[in-house]
Amino acid sequence: MWKGIISKFGRFVVNVLLIVVTFSYAMFQGGFVSWFLFYTLIPFLLYSLLLHFVPLRIEEVRREIQPARLERGDIASVTVHFINKTWFPLAFLTIREIGLDDDMVEKMKGSSNVFFVGLKRNFSWTYEIPDLERGVIEFSALQFTFTDLFGWTVRHKFAVQKQKVMVYPKITKMKYREMRRQFDQGVVLAPFAFMKDTSMATGVRDYQAGDRFSWIHWKSFAKDETLRTKDFEVRHSQEALLVLDATVKSHFEESLELAASVLQTIVDHQGDVSFFIAGEEQTFYSHLKRGQLERIMRQLAMVKASDSKNIELLLTKEGKTLDSFILLFTGELSDSLRSFFKNHGRKTKGIICFVVASKQEEQLRMKGDYYNVKIVPITKPMFSEVFTEVLKP
């Protein structure tokens, strides 16, 4: 604060001294040249002097961020709109964001902009943030800097404009088909499709968020004006549990995106599935409904991997996962995960473990012969083929 006050006072003194010096020079020197110099500079000096005292009014500041839903790796286009209601004609205006992370500022394209204001009122400024990271972008304030033509006077004005934007995991579109569980021991369990047979309604239940419009039972609605939904028979479906391993940092972003994409695909096909995040903060979602998916995606946008937890202990805690068929997503086949396969694989209805790896790592066979467990190394280009190619019997 004191630095700003001293700087402002120093610039004011410099303006006054320039007026005094040029006038004294013209008085003592005389002649056309000295007076011409004085009369040429005096408009700029007086403008600079007045700019010290003019009240600056920047109003109706707002941001527009496109696209509305951001995913990891996207480019965010941010447009700032504002109105200049200052009665005094201004020369130059520079605007920039303050409070953003340094790494983000370095990536920004057009991180600041200069306007020649004059009497113009409406302004807009657009910049881009490429290669977004998963998480939350917190915008805090904008700094407006006003100067005269020669930079003798500099004024700052801050507009607090707090805004939070969520950057979700990257969702890969997948070709969906029925999966069959097949393991190295040759055991082929019953297929599961995560789908309901909508050709046969077995009953009526209360409407829940995420139910299809075509499932509404209109006859019961006509009687008492209460929304109810047809309940359908589940076709050879068995409970499945998706597990995200957040206890290893290796390839965590890729394994998280794979888990989110598989989860999104299953829910889109009305699948009966549960979801478990195994990490520093454990979260378990049982029998997901479509209405819960957005909440999970928001949590996946924030979750971080931690090496301080043991995946075996998390999976066996309270026995939540041992009676399910498990689809597990990890970035590393850790010792604790191998121990879980060895000690508890028989107790489950089957485990398919997706180990996200680079191309070089994928060529090295993921060693491990565990009963009732299938280990599938997978690279990012293979994500879209999880249901159709990766898990072929």
Side-chain angles (χ1 to χ4, degrees):
M1 182 183 68
W2 285 106
K3 184 178 179 180
I5 293 174
I6 293 172
S7 176
K8 186 175 181 180
F9 180 74
R11 290 180 180 276
F12 175 76
V13 171
V14 169
N15 285 338
V16 174
L17 286 177
L18 283 173
I19 295 174
V20 173
V21 169
T22 54
F23 179 74
S24 300
Y25 176 76
M27 286 290 293
F28 289 103
Q29 182 69 23
F32 172 79
V33 175
S34 58
W35 283 106
F36 177 80
L37 180 63
F38 171 74
Y39 285 119
T40 301
L41 290 178
I42 197 64
F44 300 103
L45 291 170
L46 289 176
Y47 177 88
S48 179
L49 197 63
L50 287 172
L51 187 58
H52 280 282
F53 306 100
V54 171
L56 303 173
R57 295 180 59 197
I58 300 294
E59 300 179 2
E60 300 183 31
V61 182
R62 58 187 175 88
R63 292 188 194 87
E64 289 182 358
I65 302 174
Q66 295 294 334
R69 184 183 178 88
L70 296 170
E71 295 183 351
R72 179 174 178 261
D74 284 352
I75 299 176
S77 177
V78 183
T79 302
V80 179
H81 301 276
F82 61 94
I83 298 177
N84 168 38
K85 292 190 176 182
T86 306
W87 60 268
F88 189 73
L90 301 171
F92 295 114
L93 163 63
T94 303
I95 178 175
R96 69 183 184 94
E97 292 275 4
I98 59 174
L100 290 176
D101 293 339
D102 293 339
D103 293 340
M104 188 171 296
V105 173
E106 290 179 2
K107 293 191 299 183
M108 285 171 56
K109 296 180 179 179
S111 57
S112 64
N113 198 15
V114 180
F115 297 96
F116 179 77
V117 183
L119 296 174
K120 187 178 178 181
R121 296 302 182 192
N122 297 302
F123 294 87
S124 62
W125 164 49
T126 300
Y127 64 91
E128 292 183 345
I129 307 176
D131 195 21
L132 292 175
E133 296 293 334
R134 181 178 55 85
V136 176
I137 304 176
E138 295 188 8
F139 298 92
S140 55
L142 293 153
Q143 178 183 352
F144 299 87
T145 303
F146 303 86
T147 63
D148 56 27
L149 294 171
F150 297 101
W152 292 327
T153 299
V154 178
R155 295 277 304 277
H156 298 290
K157 186 175 181 63
F158 298 90
V160 177
Q161 190 70 17
K162 294 184 178 181
Q163 191 171 349
K164 291 184 179 181
V165 179
M166 187 76 69
V167 181
Y168 294 89
K170 186 72 175 179
I171 301 298
T172 301
K173 291 185 178 180
M174 297 180 170
K175 302 174 183 177
Y176 181 80
R177 79 170 187 182
E178 180 178 301
M179 297 167 59
R180 291 180 179 270
R181 303 180 231 179
Q182 182 179 15
F183 302 94
D184 295 336
Q185 292 78 12
V187 178
V188 180
L189 302 182
F192 63 99
F194 298 111
M195 297 180 67
K196 295 182 178 181
D197 186 356
T198 56
S199 63
M200 181 178 297
T202 59
V204 178
R205 58 173 173 80
D206 291 337
Y207 178 84
Q208 296 179 357
D211 288 342
R212 288 188 175 184
F213 183 77
S214 59
W215 293 355
I216 295 177
H217 193 263
W218 294 109
K219 290 183 178 180
S220 64
F221 177 75
K223 292 180 180 179
D224 54 12
E225 297 184 357
T226 300
L227 280 177
R228 293 185 177 87
T229 304
K230 300 174 186 176
D231 202 12
F232 301 100
E233 179 181 357
V234 179
R235 183 176 59 194
H236 56 267
S237 173
Q238 300 181 29
E239 182 182 1
L241 173 66
L242 271 62
V243 178
L244 172 63
D245 181 5
T247 64
V248 293
K249 295 182 178 180
S250 177
H251 300 294
F252 178 68
E253 290 296 334
E254 290 79 9
S255 60
L256 184 148
E257 290 179 2
L258 176 59
S261 300
V262 171
L263 181 64
Q264 176 83 59
T265 303
I266 293 174
V267 173
D268 285 346
H269 289 81
Q270 293 80 49
D272 184 15
V273 66
S274 300
F275 187 62
F276 179 49
I277 301 175
E280 189 70 31
E281 297 181 2
Q282 302 95 50
T283 308
F284 182 76
Y285 297 91
S286 178
H287 302 288
L288 287 179
K289 301 295 182 183
R290 180 180 289 273
Q292 295 176 283
L293 186 60
E294 178 63 21
R295 178 183 173 187
I296 295 174
M297 290 301 174
R298 292 180 68 88
Q299 184 166 359
L300 288 177
M302 302 297 297
V303 69
K304 295 182 180 180
S306 172
D307 294 328
S308 62
K309 294 292 183 179
N310 185 301
I311 185 67
E312 182 180 9
L313 295 178
L314 297 179
L315 291 175
T316 56
K317 184 180 180 182
E318 300 179 6
K320 286 181 180 179
T321 62
L322 298 181
D323 59 348
S324 305
F325 172 72
I326 300 175
L327 293 176
L328 194 148
F329 304 88
T330 185
E332 179 184 335
L333 205 57
S334 61
D335 292 338
S336 59
L337 195 57
R338 292 176 184 271
S339 178
F340 172 75
F341 294 156
K342 181 180 179 181
N343 299 327
H344 305 281
R346 293 175 178 270
K347 302 175 185 179
T348 69
K349 295 178 181 178
I351 302 173
I352 296 179
C353 177
F354 294 94
V355 184
V356 180
S358 64
K359 191 64 178 177
Q360 294 76 14
E361 293 170 330
E362 192 270 338
Q363 292 173 355
L364 301 174
R365 292 186 59 84
M366 298 287 179
K367 295 182 179 180
D369 186 14
Y370 307 100
Y371 183 83
N372 218 23
V373 178
K374 182 176 182 180
I375 298 174
V376 182
I378 185 171
T379 59
K380 194 166 184 177
M382 301 164 63
F383 282 5
S384 61
E385 307 294 334
V386 164
F387 294 97
T388 56
E389 299 295 331
V390 176
L391 289 181
K392 276 187 174 180

